[in-house]
Amino acid sequence: MLELMSVYTSYGKIKMLENIDLVVNQGEVVCLLGSNGAGKSTTIKTIVGLLTPNSGQIHFEGQSLNSLKTFDIVRRGISIAPEGRRLFPRMTVEQNLLIGLDEEKSNCDQLKCWIFELFPALKNRLNQAAGTLSGGEQAMVSISRALMQEPKLLILDEPSFGLAPILVEAFYQTITEINRHGTTILLSEQNAGKALEVSCRGYVLQKGTIHASGSKEELLDNDLVRACYLG
Ligand SMILES: Nc1ncnc2c1ncn2[C@@H]1O[C@H](COP(=O)(O)OP(=O)(O)OP(=O)(O)O)[C@@H](O)[C@H]1O
Ligand SMILES: [Mg+2]
């Protein structure tokens, strides 16, 4: 579904991503693991056109994304819940959910119902300013906003960052639920143990290159992953 081939991305003269090869197949949950500054967000921004790769190819459903703007990439079926949530704090939850949607979208109510099934806590919060929600609720709004676009591929950049452990558990169950519903997921995480629990495969980024990759079982058994990310 998504394929990155030999992707290189720089910040000005500073080389960040080197030779990234990554595949996400339809129906999978794939995790992108790595510590602070490894290049996870840079990879995600490159996929969705917020950064332009210096070289390499990015294909989605067999078509190149390289020359497309973010807006067009979202229209093709990729949505992200970005690092740090990026909500509009003074706008209500509902306004945050509807932002970026085509006005004529007819199944809005149906989508909202599904979101309330996934995140019941949001049901009574629709008219509340997003900035007044708890961290956990803001994380729910961020994922829900991405789901309102009905993406084929949902990209989550450290969705559980900063959440209490009990919430992280519930969050991961919801991510599995979203995948069961038919949405393919690429999940960036520092928390390798949690991410691998819900993933079929994963990639480990270190200093902008892919250091290891494989199935969940292979990564759980990998010495580097065990030493650096599983403690
Ligand atoms: N706008 C920028 N200009 C220059 N360097 C940047 C910029 N954004 C990120 N970097 C650098 O690129 C590297 C990779 O950053 P990136 O945000 O992709 O890491 P990450 O894996 O997402 O880390 P984290 O887990 O902290 O979110 C870091 O060294 C970071 O300092
Ligand atoms: Mg990041």
Side-chain angles (χ1 to χ4, degrees):
M1 183 181 223
L2 176 75
E3 191 171 10
L4 276 67
M5 292 162 276
S6 302
V7 168
Y8 288 71
T9 302
S10 306
Y11 289 109
K13 286 185 180 163
I14 304 166
K15 290 181 185 159
M16 189 48 228
L17 298 182
E18 279 186 56
N19 201 21
I20 303 293
D21 290 317
L22 181 150
V23 171
V24 181
N25 298 306
Q26 182 155 9
E28 288 185 318
V29 178
V30 174
C31 60
L32 187 58
L33 305 173
S35 47
N36 266 331
K40 303 180 296 297
S41 299
T42 305
T43 304
I44 291 171
K45 287 177 191 162
T46 306
I47 293 168
V48 298
L50 292 167
L51 291 169
T52 306
N54 301 71
S55 62
Q57 287 297 316
I58 304 174
H59 285 183
F60 182 63
E61 297 191 310
Q63 293 187 315
S64 173
L65 299 183
N66 281 63
S67 55
L68 297 183
K69 298 256 182 285
T70 302
F71 175 78
D72 287 318
I73 293 172
V74 172
R75 285 195 120 174
R76 295 213 177 181
I78 303 181
S79 288
I80 66 170
E83 181 169 48
R85 331 279 191 229
R86 298 289 184 123
L87 301 182
F88 295 93
R90 289 171 188 225
M91 290 167 74
T92 65
V93 169
E94 183 161 36
Q95 286 167 334
N96 270 277
L97 292 182
L98 297 179
I99 214 148
L101 287 188
D102 289 339
E103 272 175 24
E104 70 269 21
K105 199 169 178 89
S106 57
N107 57 345
C108 246
D109 289 342
Q110 215 177 320
L111 280 166
K112 277 192 225 158
C113 282
W114 180 45
I115 279 162
F116 297 148
E117 272 174 40
L118 293 171
F119 301 114
L122 293 186
K123 200 165 183 172
N124 298 320
R125 302 271 189 224
L126 274 186
N127 297 318
Q128 194 171 327
T132 63
L133 299 179
S134 69
E137 288 162 346
Q138 293 195 20
M140 294 174 198
V141 176
S142 174
I143 296 183
S144 301
R145 181 176 57 184
L147 287 175
M148 289 299 286
Q149 303 281 350
E150 297 181 272
K152 297 173 190 167
L153 172 66
L154 173 66
I155 304 184
L156 304 171
D157 195 350
E158 300 204 43
S160 68
F161 185 81
L163 301 186
I166 189 164
L167 278 181
V168 174
E169 193 59 48
F171 240 80
Y172 272 89
Q173 280 177 19
T174 307
I175 288 170
T176 303
E177 188 58 39
I178 294 167
N179 175 246
R180 278 208 203 104
H181 186 263
T183 310
T184 306
I185 296 176
L186 175 63
L187 170 67
S188 139
E189 263 297 348
Q190 295 194 32
N191 184 344
K194 264 273 120 334
L196 281 170
E197 258 176 43
V198 301
S199 302
C200 358
R201 295 189 299 111
Y203 294 84
V204 181
L205 270 177
Q206 253 185 9
K207 294 185 184 161
T209 62
I210 290 178
H211 225 73
S213 64
S215 67
K216 174 207 303 225
E217 293 74 22
E218 285 166 340
L219 289 178
L220 285 171
D221 208 33
N222 179 301
D223 289 340
L224 169 97
V225 176
R226 291 165 73 97
C228 298
Y229 304 102
L230 295 173

